[in-house]
RNA sequence: GGCCCCAUCGUCUAGUCAGGCCUAGGACACCGGCCUUUCACGCCGGCGACACGGGUUCGAAUCCCGUUGGGGCUACCA
């Protein structure tokens, strides 16, 4: 029987889960699902200065939101420090590691000098040669020390990477790296390898920023006589400026996309296609298609740039296709944030709420946009869009026709699109105006914007009472315009009379 | 600086491993047009790329070398 596939996502809780990490998690998850393997979550928190509980919680929340469920874990490295110490002893007794008493500052000094002199330099600990008596004496004297790996002076290490192909490194270019810090905590190079061995990880799928570190880890595997996993290094996601994605690019955390009203399915879909493709022209994938078709062979080697425009388009595609009912909780949340949620929308006005969602689905790319569009139906606390006023209201002599339409609406029966349209056209004709000349100001009166779904649809859905209140508001606005105009004319007349 | 990786439209990419089917295909964005009371959707059309230079070959986006450009690593971070 072939070994079960076991992959892991191993974030360090030094920040939120950003899209790069999310994609790494996703590819691991897809790989496991594709092969019926296990997806394990491990938290690499051996750097206690930079790791926080809060970050961990955010990461877990983001993964859950994306639907990246794990089969085992989360395993915290901080819970198993003894394990790493056991391995240090093992490496020490097999002669692959040694105590290093050199002061950090001294090494840094040497490193700096070498760099300035343009020399290629790697640290080779002089303490490799210390006799066991000398080591014992220093240890007894409690001299601060680290444990370093004894890197061979010669030879090459070849990493056979599932994405990058064969990559060869010279041992001579690798320094005697630290396995255990002076505070006895393991470094990443140790804990990472130990856990991958202990957890039976078969495939290490991670960002390409780890490729250069891989030979060090291979050395540790070999020193431990452990079987190497298959490595797969994913290209790094870059920001729009071509630089590696970081906080400097602002909004790149998964949490942010949740807050902005993106759907988890769309984010997953976008991330899956950022560096991988099925070999055809499809852009929209179901989760099932993704898991059944994913393969490391089709992962690209070049670094992609993160394009929020395309994500937004995809998100719009998802919003369009999803049944209104599934959007309900997210829209509700967004409306609550905007302070225009009413419990009635979940009870007696449930159908109305659903109809509102359906009305705006085809013209919203995010849940937040959708909520912004729905809000005017729930509250009158919206402003008239300046552009709309300028184009369709100011200087149009509308007071009379809007008043007439307001009166006509009171008589419309039944209250449906056909009757509403008939009524509006009649009023416009009576006032010797084009229907459009009444439609545009009406739209602004109803929702404050110059764009909306069909005006009769909006009217029908909004209902007579709300429509009346909003037209009254527009009538007051138009009256004020008239007043101001009259006043100005009087002033001009008065000024002319004086001359 | 050294080591490692990468390089097709502005962006994501197909095609590269097995060279001719590529006057390089799709998607996002952008620009026109149609539809329409507006916007969006939808439909139709347009703009737009094999980084550069050498080879190899009858033939190169595809193979080789170099240059340039980008990214990563170079910590008692991960």
């Amino acid at each position: 029987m072939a070994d079960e596939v076991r992959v892991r996502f191993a974030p360090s809780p030094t920040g939120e889960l950003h899209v790069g990490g999310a994609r790494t998690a996703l590819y691991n998850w897809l790989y496991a699902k594709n092969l019926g393997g296990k997806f394990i979550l491990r938290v690499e928190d051996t750097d206690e200065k930079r790791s926080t509980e809060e970050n961990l919680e955010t990461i877990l929340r983001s993964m859950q939101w994306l639907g990246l469920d794990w089969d085992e874990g989360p395993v915290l490295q901080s819970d198993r420090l003894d394990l790493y110490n056991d391995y240090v002893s093992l490496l020490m007794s097999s002669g692959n590691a040694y105590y290093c008493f050199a002061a950090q500052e001294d090494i840094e000094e040497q490193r700096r000098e070498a760099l300035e002199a343009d020399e290629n330099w790697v640290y080779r600990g002089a303490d490799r040669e210390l006799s066991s008596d000398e080591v014992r004496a220093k240890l007894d004297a409690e001299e601060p020390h680290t444990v370093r790996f004894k890197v061979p002076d010669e030879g090459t290490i070849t990493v056979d990477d599932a994405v990058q192909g064969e990559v060869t490194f010279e041992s001579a270019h690798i320094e005697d790296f630290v396995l255990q810090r002076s505070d006895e905590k393991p470094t990443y190079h140790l804990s990472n390898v130990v856990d991958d061995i202990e957890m039976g990880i078969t495939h290490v799928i991670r960002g390409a920023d780890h490729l250069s570190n891989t030979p060090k880890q291979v050395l540790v595997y070999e020193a431990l006589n452990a079987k190497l996993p298959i490595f797969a290094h994913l290209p790094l996601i870059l920001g729009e400026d071509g630089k590696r994605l970081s906080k400097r690019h602002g909004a790149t955390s998964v949490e942010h996309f949740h807050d902005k009203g993106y759907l988890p399915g769309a984010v997953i879909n976008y991330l899956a296609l950022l560096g991988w493709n099925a070999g055809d022209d499809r852009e929209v994938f179901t989760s099932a298609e993704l898991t059944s078709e994913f393969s490391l062979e089709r992962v690209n080697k070049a670094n992609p740039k993160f394009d929020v425009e395309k994500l937004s388009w995809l998100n719009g595609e998802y919003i369009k296709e999803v049944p209104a009912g599934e959007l309900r909780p997210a829209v509700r949340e967004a409306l609550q944030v905007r302070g225009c949620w009413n419990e009635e929308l979940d009870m007696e006005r449930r159908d109305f709420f659903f109809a509102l969602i359906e009305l705006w689905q085809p013209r919203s790319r995010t849940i937040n946009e959708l909520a912004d569009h729905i809000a005017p139906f729930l509250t009158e606390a919206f402003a008239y869009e300046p552009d709309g006023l300028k184009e369709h209201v100011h200087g149009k002599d509308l007071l009379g026709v809007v008043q007439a339409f307001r009166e006509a609406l009171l008589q419309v029966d039944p209250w449906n699109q056909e009757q509403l349209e008939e009524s509006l056209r009649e009023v416009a004709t009576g006032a010797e105006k084009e229907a459009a000349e009444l439609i545009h100001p009406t739209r602004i009166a109803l929702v404050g914007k110059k764009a909306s779904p069909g005006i009769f649809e909006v009217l029908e859905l909004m209902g007579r009472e709300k429509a009346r209140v909003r037209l009254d508001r527009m009538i007051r606005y138009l009256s004020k315009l008239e007043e101001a105009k009259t006043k100005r004319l009087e002033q001009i007349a008065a000024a002319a009379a004086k001359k």
Side-chain angles (χ1 to χ4, degrees), chain A residues 61 322 388:
Chain A
R61 195 181 335 121
V322 168

Side-chain angles (χ1 to χ4, degrees), chain A residues 232-244:
Chain A
H233 287 94
L234 274 18
L236 264 13
I237 298 176
L238 271 26
E240 282 172 85
D241 57 356
K243 299 292 175 201
R244 204 238 274 242

Side-chain angles (χ1 to χ4, degrees), chain A residues 56-265:
Chain A
L56 176 56
E57 280 167 21
T58 308
I59 290 170
L60 297 187
R61 195 181 335 121
S62 292
M63 288 187 65
Q64 279 159 350
W65 179 67
L66 288 172
L68 300 177
D69 50 326
W70 49 93
D71 300 300
E72 293 174 26
V75 175
L76 268 57
Q77 291 191 325
S78 55
D79 284 346
R80 33 170 43 203
L81 296 175
D82 290 345
L83 179 67
Y84 313 120
N85 288 335
D86 292 347
Y87 274 83
V88 169
S89 306
L90 215 56
L91 255 9
M92 199 73 90
S93 58
S94 64
N96 289 107
Y98 63 96
Y99 288 110
C100 171
F101 299 93
Q104 200 173 344
E105 303 79 57
D106 293 346
I107 298 174
E108 278 167 12
E109 176 70 21
Q110 288 180 61
R111 205 192 308 274
R112 222 192 57 236
E113 281 171 14
L115 198 66
E116 276 170 18
D118 269 3
E119 282 169 28
N120 188 19
W121 181 85
V122 296
Y123 183 72
R124 283 274 177 272
D127 295 349
R128 277 178 176 215
E129 312 304 335
L130 251 32
S131 72
S132 54
D133 286 346
E134 288 169 311
V135 169
R136 172 77 19 227
K138 283 174 181 289
L139 252 24
D140 286 345
E142 294 189 350
E143 279 191 34
H145 61 272
T146 59
V147 174
R148 284 181 187 266
F149 189 88
K150 205 179 280 183
V151 175
D153 289 324
E154 300 181 343
T156 61
I157 299 124
T158 295
V159 178
D160 190 7
D161 194 280
V163 171
Q164 308 288 338
E166 282 195 359
V167 188
T168 301
F169 301 86
E170 302 241 0
S171 184
H173 291 147
I174 301 169
E175 72 175 359
D176 283 0
F177 52 96
V178 174
L179 295 168
Q180 188 184 60
R181 297 191 264 254
S182 49
D183 64 0
E184 307 228 307
K185 296 265 173 30
T187 62
Y188 161 76
H189 296 301
L190 205 233
S191 60
N192 184 273
V193 171
V194 168
D195 278 336
D196 283 342
I197 293 171
E198 286 282 328
M199 297 170 133
I201 300 301
T202 56
H203 297 70
V204 172
I205 304 169
R206 71 220 316 188
D209 48 341
H210 292 289
L211 183 57
S212 300
N213 286 322
T214 306
K216 294 178 188 167
Q217 294 162 15
V218 169
L219 252 17
V220 177
Y221 273 97
E222 285 172 351
L224 256 15
N225 275 319
K227 186 175 181 234
L228 281 173
I230 289 169
F231 289 102
H233 287 94
L234 274 18
L236 264 13
I237 298 176
L238 271 26
E240 282 172 85
D241 57 356
K243 299 292 175 201
R244 204 238 274 242
L245 214 51
S246 72
K247 309 104 238 139
R248 288 188 305 97
H249 293 90
T252 57
S253 70
V254 171
E255 193 81 345
H256 165 82
F257 290 104
H258 164 266
D259 293 345
K260 279 282 181 185
Y262 288 83
L263 265 23

